[in-house]
Amino acid sequence: MSDAGEATRPALQPPALQVRALGIRRGRRQVVNDVSFTAAAGQVTALLGPNGAGKSSAMLAILGLLPHTGTIHLGGVDAATMDVRARARAVAYVPQASALAAALPVRDVVAQGRFAHDGSVRPRAADRARIEAALQRLSLGGLADRPFDQLSQGEARRVLVARAIAADA
């Protein structure tokens, strides 16, 4: 017989990110060796280490952009079983430096964060609402129609953060 209180207990949520025994080689060099950590949704988690310690490589492996050993779970799902769009819905990334040099309007750059949800070039109403909310959250409303390649580095960085927020990962 179950305890009467069990019905009111919230179900345990899997961690947003769980990395176990991560290993990454770059050429002949082992850049990450046996790294494990867990990050809960809504919690700030920092990955710290000196230059060259493998922090960026670990992030690229989590994104599915670098081969690795070990396991990565996103929201309780083995990332190795996720297709590219499912992984993009689960994790967003803001690079240290962006290779994006297009004259796209800022709003369109932020809209790229929604592509994994619908796959459409034309965002639906719900997507447009998320895009506008991300623009407002980072005080980018006044720059929404400005070409991305005409922004300062700080403005461009904020746009990339807004794109990650719009991804809703």
Side-chain angles (χ1 to χ4, degrees):
M1 194 98 168
S2 68
D3 182 282
E6 282 185 35
T8 60
R9 277 190 220 151
L12 292 178
Q13 295 292 325
L17 172 64
Q18 185 174 39
V19 175
R20 292 288 169 249
L22 184 67
I24 303 169
R25 293 189 71 79
R26 289 246 168 140
R28 294 182 186 186
R29 185 169 169 245
Q30 184 81 26
V31 295
V32 174
N33 187 32
D34 197 26
V35 170
S36 298
F37 64 94
T38 299
Q43 171 185 338
V44 175
T45 302
L47 190 56
L48 303 173
N51 290 344
K55 301 177 301 290
S56 294
S57 294
M59 291 307 303
L60 292 173
I62 291 165
L63 292 168
L65 300 175
L66 272 184
H68 64 278
T69 58
T71 60
I72 298 169
H73 285 83
L74 299 168
V77 178
D78 186 346
T81 68
M82 300 171 92
D83 66 27
V84 173
R85 287 184 60 196
R87 195 181 284 228
R89 287 188 300 270
V91 64
Y93 175 69
V94 178
Q96 291 178 24
S98 174
L100 181 60
L104 290 171
V106 164
R107 180 176 281 106
D108 290 354
V109 173
V110 175
Q112 291 172 346
R114 299 300 302 166
F115 184 76
H117 292 273
D118 182 13
S120 172
V121 177
R122 296 191 187 273
R124 296 174 297 163
D127 295 318
R128 287 192 301 273
R130 296 281 191 187
I131 293 162
E132 293 305 317
L135 286 167
Q136 294 310 313
R137 185 169 178 187
L138 292 211
S139 302
L140 293 167
L143 299 178
D145 296 318
R146 194 154 158 209
F148 182 81
D149 64 348
Q150 293 180 13
L151 301 177
S152 72
Q153 285 184 332
E155 291 167 335
R157 177 59 57 116
R158 285 186 12 236
V159 170
L160 297 175
V161 171
R163 180 176 68 182
I165 289 170
D168 225 8

